Amino acid sequence: MLKLEKRQRPSEVWSYATPVIAVLLTMVFGGLLFMALGKDPFVAIRTIFWDPLFSEFAFFYRPQLLVKGAPLVLIAIGLSYGFRAGIWNIGAEGQYIVGAIFAAAAGLALYPMEARWLIFPLMVLAGAFGGFLWAMIPGILKVRFGTNEILVSLMLVYVAEQLLASMALGALKNPEGFGFPGSRNLAQWSSSQNLEIVAGSGMHWGVVVAFLAVIGTYVTMSRHVLGFQIRLTGQSPRAAAFSGVNPARLVLVSLGVSGALAGLAGMFEVTGPAGQISIDFNAGYGFTAIIVAFLGRLHPIGIMLAGGLMALTYIGGEIAQSQLQMPAAAIQLFQGMLLFFLLAVDVVTHYRVRWRRPASARVAAE
Amino acid sequence: MDLGTFSPVLLIASLMVAATPILLASIGELVAERAGVLNLGVEGMMITGAVCGFILAVEIGNPWVGFLGAALGGALLSLLFALLTQILLSNQVATGLALTLFGLGLSALLGQGYIGVRAPSLPRVDLGPLSDLPYVGRIVFGQDLMVYISLALVAAVWAVLKYTRAGLILRAVGENHAAAHALGYNVVAVRTAAIAFGGACAGLGGGYLSLVRVPQWTEGMTAGAGWIALAIVVFASWRPWRLLLGAYLFGGITGLQLNIQAGGLSLLNILPAILISVGIVTLLVQLFRHLRGGPVARRTMITGQLLVAAGIVLAGLNRLFPDMRIDQAFWLSASPYLVTILVLVVMSAGRAPGSLGKTFHAST
């Protein structure tokens, strides 16, 4: 009989190996799924994972990797602060939306002024502030009233979606838009646009900030006392409390950081790739980022790699949609599968699998 | 206050319909949580149930087959959760989230060909003269069978948890899994059964949504109902009858806001009434507790009084400034979620089952 034995400490080798195994398993089962949909599994997997990087038209897709990866990495990096300490902010999607709304509103208030030096930084600040504010709601409620942050942050996603619709149809609607819903195009206004820094590279300001966030988080987690406190709280809340960690402060800090980063991601998205506040502005990055955070093992470098991989499935998924008529939902399912396999395989990181004969057989042998 | 052309009877009847999906999903989750399992995948199981039920009902042409399929779909998905959390010992919060993401993708994929199709309808129970009674008839005797089933389910869960040996074992497993294990109970088996029951109930709730409430299939149609169900379990302090109250309260708010939007009623006309009634319900719950000798939560009392006062002030303002404008659609659409948050804050939750959310690993 197979038995699980708890390891003294998580296995380091397996903690690196399991994400890779999970990706491979997802490919196998994803292939089976695509086969069930009547597609050639090998072609499908190649289209998703290989073509965006190495095919004939890869020069077109490669920059997209940064464009799609940046918001995922930014949000997931923020989530990793809380997740490590056992504080579950799963409403990043809402913070992302509110960040975008705040940024757009701050910028559009000054329209059509031509002052990029003022407006763009102002929008960045407003975006971060918006996300921060939205994340502070579950934070303060948790600290003050002991309310469950999972449920509150998630409820606020739906509120943010309603707010987005209300903004796109009302307060932020383009007055010159012939009555169509949606704000002015922020990517076409020179004061607010978030374009590529190097043409054709996909490198916009959001990518730069994402890299900075990765470095900053790496330093914080490994060198700063805050990182120590977060890791300690995650491993043993009681030990953390005895060592003088203030749990309320930790809740607010980790939610605040993740909210601000999600808000920034929203800001860079609305001024660049998306271009405007519209009803369907949000594309689920806030939820996919949860998968990215886990796949990256809540480690900044890991999250960066995982963000790249997830961006790849987005781009590859779009190619598969147009070339193989693969339904969009299949890609969504594929991404969900990845998290499942990761959590399933992860058992070997914390437990040793042992073969043990059933007790009755052992007695008989003796 | 002007209620326009509303018939309060029809309104209450429709509120019960609106509450039933959440009631079904939350009673299932209540059982899982009493067994010590926190399954955050309710939303995913609900929407999978919704799509499975809808497909089967359309293909076979019988809503009851649909409900069966919905329950099976939800239960199957929940077994995946059981496999991960009970056998592979994964983190319950993360696995629940994964279940929701997975379920949303799966349902979107399955439901592709069924957008815009109509499901066979579920007839309302007709008890002849009883259903024709004024006021009461339509509300008490004129619902469809699933509404009664959901109520019976709440009663059954309450009775089983309180009076039977199986219920006692389930609660023991939820309170202290190490002790239950030491007594010789199979923690993993009990929890797996509870998870499957929770999945089946969530599936049924989803099926009710796609087959009766809407009745159509659209992607992401649960729109947070599963999460609201989770909140209601907390609100109910893990007790079935309070759960019923909570679900009907939320169903009421959801149904009411849809009715207001459809009926073009002014929110400002109706908001004072909502505030006052929520406040009164809060106070009544406290009073009820007090009468049974329980402690009275000061904070809750104050909030209830504040709600009533705010309602009265708002009604007054309404009279004074009839032209006050707010973005009504937003407040209405966001109200179920905002009220959920409000209730989570106001209701000081009772004690959660002792082993809730903890991973159980028998070392020997």
Side-chain angles (χ1 to χ4, degrees):
Chain A
M1 229 173 85
L2 286 177
K3 271 277 174 194
L4 293 176
E5 246 174 50
K6 186 134 181 95
R7 290 179 194 272
Q8 290 283 325
R9 57 181 59 191
S11 153
E12 205 160 313
V13 180
W14 278 115
S15 76
Y16 289 112
T18 45
V20 180
I21 296 174
V23 171
L24 292 176
L25 276 173
T26 311
M27 281 190 191
V28 172
F29 282 84
L32 290 175
L33 166 76
F34 299 143
M35 206 153 78
L37 290 169
K39 318 282 178 207
D40 183 335
F42 295 101
V43 176
I45 295 292
R46 201 199 63 209
T47 313
I48 294 172
F49 288 99
W50 185 264
D51 284 3
L53 293 175
F54 304 110
S55 76
E56 195 182 340
F57 300 106
F59 66 91
F60 177 73
Y61 298 124
R62 269 183 225 139
Q64 283 291 313
L65 209 58
L66 290 179
V67 172
K68 300 250 194 260
L72 288 175
V73 171
L74 259 178
I75 300 172
I77 282 279
L79 293 180
S80 72
Y81 282 78
F83 285 7
R84 276 202 168 198
I87 299 157
W88 302 93
N89 170 18
I90 56 170
E93 183 83 0
Q95 292 138 25
Y96 169 84
I97 293 172
V98 173
I101 292 175
F102 265 57
L108 288 171
L110 298 172
Y111 189 88
M113 200 160 103
E114 291 294 331
R116 187 174 171 77
W117 60 270
L118 170 71
I119 293 176
F120 194 72
L122 183 73
M123 290 173 74
V124 171
L125 284 179
F129 182 66
F132 173 80
L133 219 57
W134 209 243
M136 273 302 106
I137 301 174
I140 290 173
L141 291 183
K142 184 180 175 75
V143 171
R144 190 79 185 72
F145 300 107
T147 315
N148 183 324
E149 81 278 13
I150 301 177
L151 293 171
V152 174
S153 66
L154 198 105
M155 286 295 126
L156 286 172
V157 174
Y158 295 99
V159 177
E161 281 177 352
Q162 299 299 337
L163 191 66
L164 179 73
S166 144
M167 286 293 149
L169 297 168
L172 293 180
K173 193 163 105 176
N174 184 356
E176 293 156 19
F178 305 104
F180 284 105
S183 72
R184 286 181 195 277
N185 194 314
L186 293 163
Q188 285 169 8
W189 174 31
S190 63
S191 299
S192 71
Q193 61 191 188
N194 169 31
L195 294 183
E196 290 174 331
I197 298 166
V198 183
S201 65
M203 184 89 165
H204 62 62
W205 282 105
V207 182
V208 177
V209 174
F211 279 122
L212 288 178
V214 169
I215 298 167
T217 303
Y218 184 83
V219 174
T220 310
M221 284 297 172
S222 57
R223 295 282 178 272
H224 196 272
V225 66
L226 175 69
F228 172 73
Q229 291 184 341
I230 286 174
R231 282 182 290 143
L232 186 61
T233 307
Q235 279 168 11
S236 168
R238 259 174 78 78
F242 281 124
S243 79
V245 176
N246 179 348
R249 194 175 140 260
L250 207 62
V251 168
L252 292 179
V253 167
S254 57
L255 278 170
V257 170
S258 61
L261 288 179
L264 276 177
M267 182 274 161
F268 291 119
E269 194 69 15
V270 77
T271 49
Q276 57 164 186
I277 292 287
S278 58
I279 296 175
D280 50 2
F281 160 74
N282 60 318
Y285 284 140
F287 291 116
T288 314
I290 296 174
I291 307 179
V292 172
F294 280 115
L295 190 63
R297 299 221 142 272
L298 307 181
H299 186 281
I301 310 289
I303 287 174
M304 195 170 69
L305 298 174
L309 184 80
M310 219 46 151
L312 194 64
T313 63
Y314 265 112
I315 303 159
E318 278 173 19
I319 304 175
Q321 245 172 290
S322 65
Q323 288 184 0
L324 308 174
Q325 283 76 50
M326 185 94 76
I331 305 301
Q332 205 185 339
L333 185 60
F334 191 74
Q335 290 175 343
M337 245 190 221
L338 185 55
L339 185 51
F340 256 132
F341 280 117
L342 184 72
L343 292 167
V345 178
D346 213 24
V347 66
V348 293
T349 310
H350 298 282
Y351 296 88
R352 196 173 274 129
V353 184
R354 279 279 167 81
W355 173 259
R356 229 194 268 159
R357 279 180 297 173
S360 55
R362 233 177 317 163
V363 172
E366 281 159 12
Chain B
M1 199 178 62
D2 180 26
L3 275 171
T5 54
F6 271 140
S7 137
V9 173
L10 280 181
L11 191 65
I12 293 177
S14 76
L15 299 189
M16 289 175 77
V17 170
T20 301
I22 307 177
L23 179 62
L24 281 165
S26 54
I27 193 71
E29 177 68 15
L30 181 135
V31 170
E33 291 196 12
R34 286 300 280 269
V37 181
L38 180 66
N39 185 352
L40 292 183
V42 181
E43 180 87 358
M45 301 184 300
M46 237 179 138
I47 195 143
T48 306
V51 77
C52 291
F54 192 81
I55 292 174
L56 273 176
V58 168
E59 292 300 332
I60 300 189
N62 179 342
W64 293 110
V65 179
F67 280 116
L68 198 68
L72 270 178
L76 275 179
L77 200 63
S78 74
L79 284 179
L80 213 54
F81 177 87
L83 171 72
L84 257 73
T85 56
Q86 301 307 309
I87 306 212
L88 298 175
L89 308 172
S90 66
N91 178 309
Q92 294 182 5
V93 173
T95 312
L97 286 175
L99 198 71
T100 290
L101 294 174
F102 184 80
L104 287 172
L106 182 69
S107 63
L109 187 65
L110 290 175
Q112 267 182 23
Y114 294 89
I115 295 170
V117 180
R118 263 200 86 81
S121 62
L122 192 66
R124 277 213 304 271
V125 173
D126 191 0
L127 294 176
L130 276 181
S131 305
D132 293 336
L133 284 174
Y135 305 112
V136 200
R138 176 71 181 83
I139 296 171
V140 181
F141 301 110
Q143 303 284 351
D144 60 66
L145 207 52
M146 277 312 283
V147 173
Y148 302 117
I149 292 180
S150 70
L151 292 172
L153 212 54
V154 173
V157 164
W158 167 75
V160 168
L161 284 179
K162 187 157 180 165
Y163 295 115
T164 69
R165 190 176 171 75
L168 185 66
I169 294 171
L170 185 116
R171 285 186 287 138
V173 166
E175 280 304 328
N176 188 337
H177 50 210
H181 174 72
L183 286 173
Y185 296 121
N186 189 337
V187 175
V188 172
V190 170
R191 287 194 169 161
T192 305
I195 292 170
F197 178 77
C201 286
L204 268 185
Y208 191 79
L209 211 54
S210 66
L211 288 172
V212 182
R213 171 90 203 284
V214 177
Q216 266 190 356
W217 163 251
T218 42
E219 247 177 61
M221 69 183 302
T222 42
W227 294 103
I228 292 182
L230 276 162
I232 287 176
V233 178
V234 179
F235 161 88
S237 307
W238 295 270
R239 290 206 292 270
W241 292 116
R242 275 188 72 172
L243 185 111
L244 183 68
L245 177 74
Y248 273 37
L249 199 66
F250 279 82
I253 289 155
T254 320
L256 204 59
Q257 66 99 353
L258 285 176
N259 272 299
I260 296 170
Q261 283 197 354
L265 262 188
S266 163
L267 173 69
L268 280 178
N269 283 338
I270 207 143
L271 190 64
I274 298 175
L275 286 177
I276 294 173
S277 42
V278 171
I280 289 176
V281 169
T282 320
L283 291 174
L284 281 179
V285 168
Q286 287 302 313
L287 188 69
F288 187 59
R289 250 200 209 169
H290 182 66
L291 287 179
R292 290 181 51 175
V296 175
R298 267 183 64 86
R299 201 173 71 203
T300 318
M301 287 297 275
I302 293 169
T303 321
Q305 288 160 7
L306 279 178
L307 279 174
V308 175
I312 292 168
V313 169
L314 206 62
L317 280 176
N318 249 344
R319 275 285 163 81
L320 290 174
F321 309 103
D323 292 335
M324 204 156 74
R325 282 193 55 199
I326 48 168
D327 188 352
Q328 193 166 307
F330 164 71
W331 289 110
L332 281 177
S333 311
S335 59
Y337 312 112
L338 291 174
V339 170
T340 307
I341 295 174
L342 182 77
V343 164
L344 281 173
V345 172
V346 171
M347 287 285 158
S348 41
R351 211 180 58 78
S355 296
L356 184 63
K358 293 191 184 124
T359 299
F360 172 72
H361 176 233
S363 46
T364 48

